[in-house]
Amino acid sequence: GVIDSVVTSKTFTPDVTGSFTGGLVDVRTKAFPEEFFIKVSLGTTFNGNANLRDDFLTYDGSGTGPFGDGFGTREVPAEWTGDGPDILGLENTIRRGSDAQKQAAMDEVRRLATQFPSAMGTSRGSSGLNQKYSINGGGNTELFGRRLGILGGFNYSRTFSFADDAQQNRFNASAPTRSLDSRQLYDEVQGSQNLGYSAVANLGYELNDNHTLSFVALHVRDLQDSAVFRVGENQQERSLRSERHVLEFTDRALSTLQFESERVFPELNDAKNEFKVSYSETKQSQPDLRFLEYGVNPDSGNIAILPSFMLEPSRIFRSIEESNVNVLVHNTVPFTWWRGLENQIKFGFAFEDS
């Protein structure tokens, strides 16, 4: 396999950084596989609650694409980047301008709004089967008379989840009666598509019997596209049936490069020096998160948006990125003392910049 060892630390040790908080998992890939191998795995699962449904909750323009390429349909329109359009100016014109100016401003607002995908509410569609694929391989060869290890792997999964009997209720505490008064009572339907894939490559080279070098590249990406529809009673306006639509797409990614040197000194009782340098990038984005809430008159079917206690129709774009550079030097010196007890002295250096 790809994994050489997994070490879990639950207490402070000298060879972890000061930000360590008591839970650390160190996963190490193999630098030199024992023999050449290749493994291919294909799998699928079926859940009657989520898969192969023709009433799966979704929305127009939803989906992650095979590798997250559906992201482009949710980008901010070019005209809205930078300083963007003068929305406040258009709003003032609509409020205070002449009839002709108001009409021109409203036409401009409509033009700008149509640059975004039109879907604000949920709809029904179909779902597929859960899928999972993986391929891993590696082996040893020689370069300049020394071992060279090569290892790589790729994993891919696509799953669906669905719930049509969820509830979301909110209550207010009543001090006089010491009870909870219902504020919102919602039935909820949720549909979610999840895509995840990862790729890893590892090279190991043996400079001599006591010195090895390794290089690891890793990329992980996780995408979730979900639709939520809530319907129920809002105690602030009981004459209306409250409906809320939430369309959410989340993209998370991690990329890292790591170089490691490990050297053993037999003349110093097998003292060991480890040098590591790594660079990593993490990203999370939620492009075009959409909220739509309104009240429906059960008798007439008329729709009303009441900003006083309902969320106004909203589109939110947000993202966060972080990069880290880490340099670690670990030195381990074993020794024995007092009746042959084995001990170690550890010391080193750590640098982190983000």
Side-chain angles (χ1 to χ4, degrees), residues 13 90 142 299:
T13 61
L90 291 171
E142 285 194 358
D299 298 323

Side-chain angles (χ1 to χ4, degrees), residues 58-63 70-77 113 115-123 225-230 243-250 286-293 311-318:
T58 181
Y59 59 94
D60 185 31
S62 68
F71 176 80
T73 62
R74 301 174 178 87
E75 292 179 347
V76 180
Q115 295 181 9
F116 293 90
S118 59
M120 286 293 290
T122 59
S123 59
D225 190 15
S226 61
V228 178
F229 174 63
R230 300 183 186 122
E243 296 186 4
R244 176 183 290 187
H245 303 259
V246 181
L247 314 181
E248 182 176 8
F249 181 88
T250 304
Q286 285 185 306
D288 207 2
L289 172 62
R290 304 169 220 177
F291 297 95
L292 175 62
E293 185 175 10
L311 183 67
E312 294 184 86
S314 305
R315 309 184 84 119
I316 300 172
F317 294 78
R318 55 191 180 191

Side-chain angles (χ1 to χ4, degrees), residues 279-282 321-325 353-354:
Y279 174 79
S280 62
E281 288 185 351
T282 55
E321 298 184 14
E322 181 178 340
S323 60
N324 294 83
V325 176
D353 180 63
S354 61

